């Protein structure tokens, strides 16, 4: 359980950072309108990842439900980012997939 929790924190924080970086870089792309959904999913995923960390620190009884939502947010964000060829989108998709896996591992323990 301790290993799954440590892995979860590592992956959630890395995902949050990747999403924050991705939406910032998307805002700098030539066709920002084309990146609107990517920006939206990046923001949602980053915010939910931050909430996972906060809920965990305060030992919220809602943590497992939030982690389940984080899985959905990571999948949605990764699916969107995987449609783009930008390096920041590829990196974000990878971080989201790793976070999704860590969340599933944590809930399975």
């Amino acid at each position: 359980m301790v290993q799954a929790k440590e892995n979860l924190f590592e992956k959630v924080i890395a995902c949050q950072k990747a999403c924050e970086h991705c939406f910032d870089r998307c805002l700098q792309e030539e066709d920002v309108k084309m990146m609107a959904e990517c920006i939206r999913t990046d923001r949602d995923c980053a915010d939910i990842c931050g909430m996972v960390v906060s809920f965990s620190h305060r030992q919220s009884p809602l943590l497992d439900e939030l982690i389940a939502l984080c899985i959905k947010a990571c999948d949605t964000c990764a699916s969107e980012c995987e449609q783009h060829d930008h390096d920041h989108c590829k990196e974000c998709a990878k971080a989201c997939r790793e976070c999704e896996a860590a969340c599933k591992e944590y809930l399975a323990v």
Side-chain angles (χ1 to χ4, degrees):
M1 178 70 163
V2 172
Q3 181 64 29
K5 191 171 187 175
E6 287 176 13
N7 188 47
L8 175 71
F9 283 130
E10 178 184 320
K11 299 301 181 184
V12 167
I13 291 168
C15 184
Q16 183 182 28
K17 288 179 182 178
C19 289
E20 298 269 357
H21 177 72
C22 188
F23 81 71
D24 183 60
R25 293 294 308 272
C26 285
L27 288 171
Q28 297 171 33
E29 294 294 338
E30 284 184 34
D31 189 356
V32 175
K33 284 187 178 184
M34 183 187 84
M35 304 307 294
E37 190 61 24
C38 190
I39 294 166
R40 187 174 296 112
T41 60
D42 286 338
R43 293 297 313 268
D44 286 350
C45 193
D47 288 350
I48 291 169
C49 285
M51 290 174 65
V52 167
V53 173
S54 295
F55 276 49
S56 179
H57 286 311
R58 63 178 173 253
Q59 299 176 342
S60 172
L62 300 175
L63 180 60
D64 287 357
E65 291 174 63
L66 185 59
I67 290 173
L69 181 59
C70 190
I71 290 168
K72 184 175 181 177
C74 286
D75 179 54
T76 301
C77 189
S79 294
E80 176 61 32
C81 284
E82 288 164 351
Q83 296 178 42
H84 304 285
D85 290 329
H86 309 295
D87 286 342
H88 56 88
C89 289
K90 290 177 184 177
E91 291 166 10
C92 185
K94 181 180 182 291
C96 286
R97 293 293 180 207
E98 290 175 359
C99 183
E100 178 183 6
C103 286
K104 287 178 180 178
E105 177 188 358
Y106 177 85
L107 290 180
V109 173

